[in-house]
């Protein structure tokens, strides 16, 4: 599982991860967000993550000043998702952070050209199909498949 760190203790929250995106579109629980809260955030609040698109997370437990959340497929199916932290006391929302953007790579690389000379299962099937129809006793073998009227 890859770890994505979001540091809200900085004046401008910073999202840190390896690569060009925090995950791949459509993955389920393959990336975990580790969110560092500002030191002045009350620990007694119930925290949730709000995703656009995607909705709200369940209530998250604050542990050592961090929130942890494994991203479900309902969030990762989008290319770009905005996220913020919301803190609740009962039903009242007391805190709402600024939004950060999370980027996901496409599951299939549509920018790479297809290698027409490369080996693929489709090319192998086409070769085998062609080979079945280029033998010297083709007329005899094809006759076995015919039925008498």
């Amino acid at each position: 599982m890859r770890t994505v760190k979001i540091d809200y203790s900085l004046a401008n929250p910073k999202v840190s991860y390896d690569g060009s995106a925090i995950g791949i579109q459509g993955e389920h629980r393959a990336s975990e967000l580790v969110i560092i809260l500002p030191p002045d955030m009350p620990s007694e609040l119930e925290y949730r993550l709000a995703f656009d698109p995607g909705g709200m997370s369940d209530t998250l437990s604050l542990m050592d000043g961090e929130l942890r959340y494994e991203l479900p497929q309902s969030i990762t199916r989008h290319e770009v998702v905005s996220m913020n932290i919301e803190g609740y006391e009962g039903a009242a929302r007391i805190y709402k952070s600024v939004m950060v953007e999370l980027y996901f790579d496409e599951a299939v690389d549509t920018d790479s050209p297809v290698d027409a000379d490369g080996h693929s299962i489709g090319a192998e099937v086409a070769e085998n199909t062609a080979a079945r129809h280029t033998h010297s006793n083709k007329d005899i073998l094809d006759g076995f498949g015919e039925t008498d009227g």
Side-chain angles (χ1 to χ4, degrees):
M1 175 175 302
R2 72 185 65 81
T3 300
V4 178
K5 188 176 181 180
I6 304 174
D7 193 347
Y8 273 96
S9 68
L10 304 172
N12 293 315
K14 181 180 179 185
V15 180
S16 302
Y17 49 88
D18 293 331
S20 62
I22 69 166
I24 297 173
Q25 289 178 7
E27 287 182 321
H28 183 63
R29 300 192 186 283
S31 296
E32 180 182 43
L33 301 180
V34 176
I35 301 162
I36 301 167
L37 296 180
D40 60 341
M41 289 295 298
S43 60
E44 64 276 359
L45 294 181
E46 292 182 358
Y47 289 99
R48 291 178 168 215
L49 303 179
F51 297 95
D52 181 31
M56 296 288 285
S57 72
D58 293 329
T59 301
L60 303 176
S61 298
L62 185 62
M63 198 176 271
D64 297 325
E66 296 178 346
L67 300 172
R68 292 181 172 264
Y69 184 70
E70 293 177 5
L71 291 170
Q73 190 174 34
S74 60
I75 303 300
T76 65
R77 68 177 160 214
H78 308 283
E79 185 177 355
V80 180
V81 175
S82 297
M83 185 212 82
N84 70 304
I85 306 166
E86 296 186 2
Y88 291 85
E89 191 171 65
R93 183 176 65 201
I94 299 185
Y95 175 80
K96 185 173 183 177
S97 72
V98 298
M99 292 190 121
V100 295
E101 287 189 334
L102 309 174
Y103 297 92
F104 297 92
D105 282 333
E106 292 179 301
V108 177
D109 183 5
T110 58
D111 294 331
S112 297
V114 173
D115 182 7
D117 296 327
H119 183 74
S120 71
I121 190 68
E124 188 174 332
V125 169
E127 289 170 14
N128 288 338
T129 301
R132 284 194 309 258
H133 293 94
T134 59
H135 42 81
S136 61
N137 58 350
K138 180 180 180 335
D139 293 336
I140 294 169
L141 293 175
D142 285 350
F144 288 130
E146 295 176 7
T147 58
D148 292 332

